[in-house]
Amino acid sequence: MTSNYKYSKLFEMLSPHIGHNISKIDFFNKISNESMLKNVFLGFIKDLDKDFDNFIIMGNDSLSYHPSSISFESDDEDDWDYNIEKYRHEITTNNLAFSLSNASHLVVKVSQGHNVSDQIVNIENIVDSIYSETSSDHENSVTNVSYIKFESISEALRMINNE
């Protein structure tokens, strides 16, 4: 898989919630967060039953799963709700998260007992993104919105590994 992407691109794809509207140093510091990469991404791929050649993983259920470094882990319900809304907003406003359009689910880490399967994130396609930069009435004119659903690591593994 690494032959298909530059390493920096892989880090970007694992962090679709981090936009490029910050300094380059801050951007790369955020996308290379060792703790999140280890606990979320590596925690997910180590339990896959087989190797995959592509970044987007096809499950046995014909759905596609986009790995990430996003964690919603929290014991506080207010933090839980806040984190979902925060990440949803950050992903929606990141016009450079193109890899999301190739997947049906974004794999995230959640606390025991939490379910994110019903949480949807709307994603504008590139045509809408360009149009939004040239029009002040963009909010009323988006027509090509796709979406992606959050999926917990355990549920994604269950579907991919056919358990």
Side-chain angles (χ1 to χ4, degrees):
M1 177 174 61
T2 56
S3 62
N4 297 334
Y5 305 100
K6 292 179 8 181
Y7 292 118
S8 60
K9 184 64 177 172
L10 285 172
F11 283 121
E12 284 181 46
M13 291 172 17
L14 287 171
S15 305
H17 58 291
I18 300 174
H20 288 262
N21 56 349
I22 56 178
S23 74
K24 200 169 196 166
I25 273 193
D26 287 341
F27 175 75
F28 282 103
N29 279 336
K30 287 184 177 192
I31 67 172
S32 61
N33 180 322
E34 182 179 347
S35 168
M36 298 308 280
L37 291 170
K38 177 183 173 195
N39 293 328
V40 183
F41 174 64
L42 294 177
F44 169 58
I45 64 169
K46 76 175 177 57
D47 289 329
L48 292 171
D49 285 346
K50 58 184 176 182
D51 291 332
F52 292 89
D53 294 335
N54 201 346
F55 183 78
I56 305 295
I57 299 169
M58 296 303 294
N60 293 324
D61 54 1
S62 75
L63 299 174
S64 51
Y65 297 88
H66 186 295
S68 81
S69 62
I70 296 173
S71 175
F72 293 144
E73 282 189 304
S74 176
D75 294 330
D76 184 325
E77 285 303 312
D78 290 335
D79 286 345
W80 166 258
D81 293 336
Y82 171 78
N83 283 333
I84 287 180
E85 289 307 315
K86 176 182 132 188
Y87 283 108
R88 180 182 285 135
H89 173 74
E90 288 173 349
I91 292 168
T92 299
T93 58
N94 184 1
N95 293 334
L96 299 175
F98 299 123
S99 62
L100 292 177
S101 63
N102 297 322
S104 59
H105 292 77
L106 179 62
V107 181
V108 299
K109 187 168 187 177
V110 299
S111 300
Q112 187 75 12
H114 282 119
N115 180 9
V116 290
S117 297
D118 59 342
Q119 299 295 325
I120 296 173
V121 179
N122 291 327
I123 304 168
E124 296 178 23
N125 66 23
I126 191 163
V127 173
D128 290 327
S129 297
I130 292 168
Y131 183 71
S132 70
E133 293 172 5
T134 61
S135 171
S136 61
D137 61 341
H138 171 68
E139 293 79 16
N140 300 322
S141 63
V142 175
T143 57
N144 294 323
V145 175
S146 58
Y147 66 91
I148 191 167
K149 288 185 170 188
F150 290 123
E151 191 64 80
S152 69
I153 289 174
S154 59
E155 187 62 22
L157 286 169
R158 190 179 70 73
M159 300 304 280
I160 294 167
N161 293 335
N162 205 20
E163 297 175 351

